[in-house]
Amino acid sequence: MNNGLHFTARVTLSVPFHDIDMMGVVWHGNYFRYFEIAREKLLNKFNYGYRQMKESGYLWPVVDSRVKYRDVLVFEQRFIVEASIEEYQNRLKINYKIFDENSEKLLTTAYTIQVAVEEKTKELCFVSPPVLFECLGVSA
């Protein structure tokens, strides 16, 4: 389902001091903020960021996630987060890769799964709403 670069966005970030733990590496929970930054850039590419999602009448909670920590991130390290849409028909599955900016070494892989929930009724949608397909420029 992934259609290459069209469904991918990248952001370059630097590890701030407040993200590291006593061992001098990024605390594992902070990675989800990095994924969120890349996911927001990706969704805004299609004019379906979080404001547009809410305006369209749908909420998109994360219902599942997985992270594989391959190597550490440390204070002031510059890194790239790549977010790619993997699935969109029944749920929004976004894959993530974190690379060291200088060496391009793959440091982390992950995914999140979001589902559409109709805001008014709070009911789960078993098929993604038409507005997502329109924004992505694909047919349902």
Side-chain angles (χ1 to χ4, degrees):
M1 249 182 235
N2 187 335
N3 195 355
L5 293 177
H6 177 68
F7 287 121
T8 300
R10 295 179 120 203
V11 295
T12 302
L13 303 170
S14 180
V15 175
F17 181 74
H18 62 263
D19 279 1
I20 62 174
D21 63 18
M22 289 178 53
M23 296 168 63
V25 299
V26 172
W27 178 68
H28 68 279
N30 286 325
Y31 283 76
F32 287 93
R33 284 203 338 260
Y34 307 151
F35 302 148
E36 183 74 30
I37 292 166
R39 180 169 61 234
E40 187 173 13
K41 181 172 183 177
L42 175 62
L43 295 173
N44 283 332
K45 190 174 174 181
F46 302 103
N47 198 31
Y48 199 57
Y50 289 111
R51 285 190 192 281
Q52 292 84 7
M53 285 178 173
K54 186 161 175 53
E55 288 169 3
S56 73
Y58 296 94
L59 308 174
W60 288 83
V62 172
V63 296
D64 192 10
S65 62
R66 181 183 186 285
V67 182
K68 171 90 173 161
Y69 303 97
R70 299 169 176 263
D71 207 342
V72 298
L73 286 169
V74 297
F75 177 53
E76 293 184 329
Q77 181 176 0
R78 292 187 53 79
F79 60 98
I80 298 165
V81 184
E82 180 179 279
S84 302
I85 296 175
E86 180 67 25
E87 297 176 27
Y88 53 80
Q89 290 183 323
N90 300 314
R91 61 190 189 169
L92 192 53
K93 181 178 183 184
I94 300 178
N95 291 333
Y96 308 90
K97 293 180 182 176
I98 295 181
F99 301 93
D100 177 76
E101 183 184 45
N102 294 325
S103 69
E104 297 184 13
K105 179 181 179 183
L106 180 63
L107 304 173
T108 307
T109 57
Y111 69 77
T112 56
I113 295 175
Q114 295 170 260
V115 294
V117 174
E118 194 170 342
E119 186 176 20
K120 287 181 185 175
T121 64
K122 304 293 189 242
E123 290 187 26
L124 173 70
C125 301
F126 292 103
V127 175
S128 293
V131 64
L132 177 64
F133 298 108
E134 292 167 21
C135 289
L136 294 176
V138 296
S139 55

